[in-house]
Amino acid sequence: MKRRELFSSLVSSFKEDKQEKVLRPPYFKDEDVFFTNCTQCDGKCSTVCEENIIQIQEDKTPKLNFEEGGCTYCDECAKVCEYEVLNIEDKQNINAIIQIDTQTCLSWNKIMCFSCKDPCLDDAIEFFAMFKPVINEACTSCGFCIQYCPSGAITIKN
Ligand code: SF4
Ligand code: SF4
Ligand code: SF4
């Protein structure tokens, strides 16, 4: 491989790494199927989501948005999908790690705040020594806590 080719392949792999992955409704096996099958659909999954967290993107594939809600794992999006993209038998946790940023979290910075604790129905946010919230392994990545953090300290890593 010539030096220039090597350089451009390194740059493109770096760009791919930096690209944020799209969060999908938690009922798929193969990411590629979104791109082939969703183009035939009019975005039905987004119309049945009780939490209104499914957005249809320009490429016609669905994306989860946790700004105002979280996933209840209710199965409705999979039930309505006619193109075998979302299937109930492929149900899984959302493919993301939810984290608390200790730099921006009020509590970690000694300002009393428990805003994220109660909205988490899975009891996945534990407060150590009262001021140190940590997300434990019970987290299902449902995203509900994100909207309640007043300082935007709950982040998604995928
Ligand atoms: S209902 Fe199925 S095919 Fe239609 S946009 Fe949603 S995932 Fe794609
Ligand atoms: S499982 Fe239910 S709440 Fe979650 S994205 Fe699908 S329709 Fe929405
Ligand atoms: S900590 Fe995890 S399980 Fe609890 S609300 Fe946040 S994303 Fe959902």
Side-chain angles (χ1 to χ4, degrees), residues 25-27 49-51 53-54 64 70-77:
Y27 298 89
C49 179
E50 59 184 12
E51 284 292 318
I53 59 170
I54 303 181
L64 297 184
C71 178
T72 59
Y73 292 91
C74 68
D75 298 348
E76 292 304 318
C77 52

Side-chain angles (χ1 to χ4, degrees), residues 66 71 73 98 100 116-117 119-125 134-136 138-146 154:
F66 292 147
C71 178
Y73 292 91
I98 309 295
I100 294 176
C116 58
K117 187 166 172 49
C120 178
L121 301 179
D122 296 290
D123 250 341
I125 305 182
V134 170
I135 295 181
N136 67 28
C139 177
T140 62
S141 305
C142 71
F144 267 108
C145 52
I146 292 171
I154 305 180

Side-chain angles (χ1 to χ4, degrees), residues 82-136:
E82 292 169 3
Y83 295 93
E84 297 183 347
V85 181
L86 306 177
N87 301 292
I88 291 178
E89 58 271 24
D90 296 326
K91 190 169 185 169
Q92 58 189 305
N93 276 356
I94 291 161
N95 187 16
I97 297 169
I98 309 295
Q99 294 176 322
I100 294 176
D101 175 22
T102 56
Q103 303 286 312
T104 46
C105 167
L106 298 181
S107 201
W108 273 90
N109 288 283
K110 302 276 188 305
I111 299 166
M112 195 168 279
C113 172
F114 297 100
S115 302
C116 58
K117 187 166 172 49
D118 287 345
C120 178
L121 301 179
D122 296 290
D123 250 341
I125 305 182
E126 287 177 73
F127 279 72
F128 292 100
M130 219 151 104
F131 285 109
K132 295 178 177 173
V134 170
I135 295 181
N136 67 28

Side-chain angles (χ1 to χ4, degrees), residues 5 11 13-14 24 30 57 64 72 91 101 122 124 126:
E5 285 167 357
V11 168
S13 69
F14 177 72
R24 306 289 190 188
D30 181 359
Q57 306 181 101
L64 297 184
T72 59
K91 190 169 185 169
D101 175 22
D122 296 290
E126 287 177 73

Side-chain angles (χ1 to χ4, degrees), residues 143-157:
F144 267 108
C145 52
I146 292 171
Q147 65 189 300
Y148 294 101
C149 176
S151 64
I154 305 180
T155 58
I156 307 166
K157 190 175 164 213

Side-chain angles (χ1 to χ4, degrees), residues 6-25:
L6 179 66
F7 180 72
S8 55
S9 98
L10 283 173
V11 168
S12 65
S13 69
F14 177 72
K15 275 188 188 157
E16 270 165 31
D17 281 352
K18 296 294 279 179
Q19 251 170 24
E20 209 177 277
K21 267 191 96 185
V22 171
L23 287 186
R24 306 289 190 188

